[in-house]
């Protein structure tokens, strides 16, 4: 959107330059107008450079977010698997009782 607006403003500045040039041949254009148009052109170029830098930075940030999303999905899956394993490995209350453990020890001996 910003790029489209800059393009439109560039066209307006070009039209002003042409208008000033055509009026300048019939009568001398005020120097102040010429200077102001030059200033506007410089400002437009500066803004265009800033927009290009912003676009580059945004692309970099979006790439970092994509990497974050991929890693987050992997970690989330691993966490879910870990929690499932923990849940499956819990001994039942019957197996965790002291008497049950004593019976297992005797059986192993």
């Amino acid at each position: 959107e910003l790029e489209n607006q800059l393009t439109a403003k560039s066209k307006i500045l070009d039209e002003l330059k042409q208008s000033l040039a055509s009026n300048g041949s019939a009568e001398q254009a005020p120097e102040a107008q010429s200077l102001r148009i030059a200033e506007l052109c410089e400002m437009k170029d500066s803004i265009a450079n800033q927009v290009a830098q912003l676009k580059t930075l945004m692309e970099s940030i979006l790439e970092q977010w994509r990497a974050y999303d991929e890693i987050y999905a992997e970690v989330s899956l691993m966490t879910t698997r870990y929690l499932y394993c923990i849940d499956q490995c819990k001994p039942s209350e019957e197996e965790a009782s002291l008497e049950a453990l004593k019976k297992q020890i005797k059986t192993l001996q």
Side-chain angles (χ1 to χ4, degrees):
E1 168 121 6
L2 285 174
E3 291 173 328
N4 292 338
Q5 290 178 2
L6 282 172
T7 303
K9 299 298 179 188
S10 293
K11 289 178 184 178
I12 292 171
L13 281 173
D14 289 340
E15 290 171 4
L16 279 173
K17 284 181 190 176
Q18 291 174 356
S19 172
L20 187 62
S22 64
N23 288 340
S25 60
E27 58 185 60
Q28 282 295 359
E31 191 173 314
Q33 286 180 338
S34 298
L35 290 174
R36 184 66 182 146
I37 290 176
E39 288 174 16
L40 289 173
C41 287
E42 286 177 22
M43 290 169 54
K44 185 231 5 140
D45 291 340
S46 173
I47 292 170
N49 288 334
Q50 291 175 4
V51 167
Q53 290 173 353
L54 180 63
K55 187 176 179 181
T56 302
L57 289 172
M58 290 301 293
E59 288 171 357
S60 172
I61 290 169
L62 286 174
E63 185 59 36
Q64 290 174 4
W65 272 110
R66 280 187 212 105
Y68 169 82
D69 286 340
E70 290 174 11
I71 292 169
Y72 179 82
E74 288 178 31
V75 169
S76 179
L77 179 62
M78 291 167 62
T79 302
T80 302
R81 287 179 179 165
Y82 170 76
L83 292 174
Y84 175 79
C85 288
I86 295 267
D87 190 50
Q88 295 301 312
C89 293
K90 283 183 185 174
S92 65
E93 291 198 23
E94 192 175 286
E95 294 171 343
S97 73
L98 185 58
E99 292 301 319
L101 290 174
K102 286 180 181 177
K103 284 181 185 176
Q104 284 181 346
I105 290 172
K106 284 183 184 177
T107 303
L108 291 172
Q109 290 174 347

